[in-house]
Amino acid sequence: MARDVPHAAGSAPAGSSEFKLGGRVLAAALLGTACGASPLPFNVLPLVMGPIHDEFGWDFAAISVGMTIFGTTASLLAPVIGGLADRVGVRLIGLWSLFAFAMVFAAFYFVPGNIGGWYAFWLLLGVIGIGSTPVTWSRAVSMWFAKNRGLALGIMLIGTSLAALVVPQIANWAIRTGGWRFAFPIVALLPLLVALPVAIAWFREPKPEEAPAETRMADGNVAGLTLGQAIRGYRFWMLIGSIILISIAYGGAHIHMAQIVKLHGFTPATAASVLGVVAMGILAGRVLVGLLFDRIWAPGVAFASMLLPAIACTLLMGTGGALSVVMTGAFLLGFAAGAESDVIAFLTARYFGMRHYGRIYGMLYMPFGIGSGVSPILYGAVRDRTGSYDAMLMAAIFMFAIGGAMLLSLGRYPRLGETGGHRPA
């Protein structure tokens, strides 16, 4: 791979050369994120939820439990997979997980007509899917980028935006063509035919001489805290609390977005288009917030970003709203989601370093996945009992605000790497 000048282990490439050295890896990580277990189920389930309800008579909360099982299972395994990636490398974990995820997702075509079978498929997907999420891809990207880490992670996470733009359209076509079952194998072609070949060709961690100096100590070892050191600090727990609140507020709103749009009087096709607007919001949040993270104190940027969904929830409440109002709410909600995913990956690397990034990120991803999995049940239960989502959207306003405010307590970035430990900046 081309580089500006040779440099020894522990020396940092110039900021611009980070993209020259790591650009292909970043592209592979972007596609892996786009076609992995993080975005695809979240963008297919909203469109098949209605047809499944019509065919089997299951209520929306019961259907949503599948996502909860998936999210909880994957999240509990995230620290294990993250730790494995730290030891054996992200390439092996990422490639095999992406392949296995595609196979199981395609097999949803054969879901039986009982709720237990539905849940079993989601359980299996959670077991094999976590290695195809940013738990894996973000470690490699953070190892290649230091000066431009926020932007690079934002670009990588654009993958979820691309999925949200493309997948609903593909799934909607598949449902019209062959029914809701057909959506799963058609969408599963994306990881098999798009992401996996590129990842095989380009995805890897940097060699010592390719890594930025900020990721290593003077002796050449990777800088950062152990999981035990991270857990003993207050920052880890403030991040946990913030992530729980924000993921519960957002996850169900995304899953039920198509139903929220339909309650405003619009067609399923319009609902799919609104999901595309959410994707554009996520895209804007990814790039803008990631860029700002490299230049401004990240927790302050994140707090401001988390205030936007309070406006979004207000706009999405009620029925019969104008399409422009619903789309504005969807965009702002997506923007906040884009910011939140950047927060976890960026702050893990910035506050805890890369030495045990996979395990620490996995521990922080756990509440994100569990909260995102529980949230659809809460939204669905409110819908089943009240006929609307307004009560849950009202609660989400406060969760976004409080979760964002908790990030302000993180303080200045520590300096990692001078002595193998850390000291305040």
Side-chain angles (χ1 to χ4, degrees):
M1 188 176 295
R3 56 176 71 97
D4 288 341
V5 293
H7 49 281
S11 63
S16 61
S17 68
E18 286 185 347
F19 284 98
K20 294 180 181 178
L21 287 168
R24 291 183 177 182
V25 175
L26 179 57
L30 184 155
L31 290 175
T33 299
C35 299
S38 183
L40 294 197
F42 277 88
N43 286 287
V44 172
L45 184 57
L47 297 175
V48 301
M49 186 180 292
I52 290 173
H53 170 78
D54 294 338
E55 180 174 338
F56 298 128
W58 304 337
D59 62 36
F60 290 103
I63 296 170
S64 300
V65 169
M67 181 60 70
T68 304
I69 293 171
F70 163 70
T72 303
T73 303
S75 300
L76 291 174
L77 289 173
V80 177
I81 296 300
L84 191 60
D86 290 335
R87 292 193 298 274
V88 305
V90 294
R91 177 177 171 84
L92 183 65
I93 301 300
L95 296 184
W96 278 108
S97 294
L98 195 62
F99 174 77
F101 163 72
M103 293 293 98
V104 174
F105 199 67
F108 269 64
Y109 183 87
F110 302 105
V111 167
N114 62 79
I115 197 71
W118 172 250
Y119 294 158
F121 271 77
W122 284 105
L123 176 64
L124 180 59
L125 194 70
V127 170
I128 59 87
I130 187 62
S132 67
T133 70
V135 170
T136 298
W137 313 115
S138 66
R139 173 177 169 82
V141 171
S142 294
M143 289 293 290
W144 281 94
F145 293 86
K147 294 180 175 64
N148 298 288
R149 181 177 289 153
L151 178 57
L153 287 170
I155 292 171
M156 182 199 81
L157 290 167
I158 284 174
T160 59
S161 304
L162 295 178
L165 284 169
V166 174
V167 171
Q169 308 305 321
I170 295 174
N172 202 38
W173 172 84
I175 292 168
R176 292 197 312 269
T177 302
W180 64 267
R181 293 177 183 274
F182 194 49
F184 290 97
I186 290 297
V187 171
L189 293 175
L190 293 174
L192 280 180
L193 301 183
V194 178
L196 191 58
V198 176
I200 290 172
W202 289 348
F203 187 66
R204 65 180 178 87
E205 291 186 21
K207 300 174 184 176
E209 67 271 15
E210 296 172 317
E214 292 87 342
T215 64
R216 296 188 176 272
M217 298 183 290
D219 61 5
N221 292 320
V222 177
L225 308 184
T226 65
L227 176 61
Q229 289 172 326
I231 289 176
R232 288 193 292 271
Y234 79 92
R235 291 183 174 113
F236 180 88
W237 298 106
M238 294 304 290
L239 276 168
I240 289 281
S242 173
I243 290 166
I244 289 173
L245 288 173
I246 293 170
S247 62
I248 290 176
Y250 175 76
H254 191 138
I255 290 295
H256 290 267
M257 181 59 68
Q259 295 300 316
I260 292 173
V261 174
K262 289 173 70 175
L263 285 178
H264 282 270
F266 300 107
T267 66
T270 301
S273 298
V274 172
L275 286 173
V277 174
V278 174
M280 288 189 286
I282 295 173
L283 175 61
R286 296 275 193 262
V287 176
L288 180 58
V289 171
L291 193 62
L292 290 175
F293 276 1
D294 291 327
R295 292 159 174 78
I296 303 173
W297 185 54
V301 175
F303 170 65
S305 300
M306 290 304 110
L307 296 179
L308 296 178
I311 301 172
C313 291
T314 302
L315 296 176
L316 293 172
M317 290 170 65
T319 58
L323 182 58
S324 60
V325 172
V326 173
M327 284 188 168
T328 300
F331 180 87
L332 294 178
L333 200 67
F335 188 95
E340 173 64 6
S341 296
D342 275 358
V343 164
I344 301 173
F346 184 87
L347 295 187
T348 298
R350 202 65 177 84
Y351 282 101
F352 306 120
M354 296 306 304
R355 183 180 176 191
H356 292 278
Y357 175 92
R359 294 188 69 192
I360 297 172
Y361 184 95
M363 289 294 292
L364 293 172
Y365 190 90
M366 188 188 302
F368 177 77
I370 293 174
S372 298
V374 169
S375 181
I377 295 181
L378 298 177
Y379 274 83
V382 169
R383 162 73 185 277
D384 291 332
R385 293 178 184 178
T386 68
S388 78
Y389 295 98
D390 287 1
M392 190 62 202
L393 289 169
M394 179 63 71
I397 292 173
F398 294 97
M399 286 189 280
F400 278 121
I402 295 170
M406 292 177 72
L407 297 174
L408 298 177
S409 70
L410 296 180
R412 292 178 295 176
Y413 300 137
R415 292 180 182 173
L416 302 166
E418 285 90 345
T419 63
H422 72 289
R423 59 184 178 86

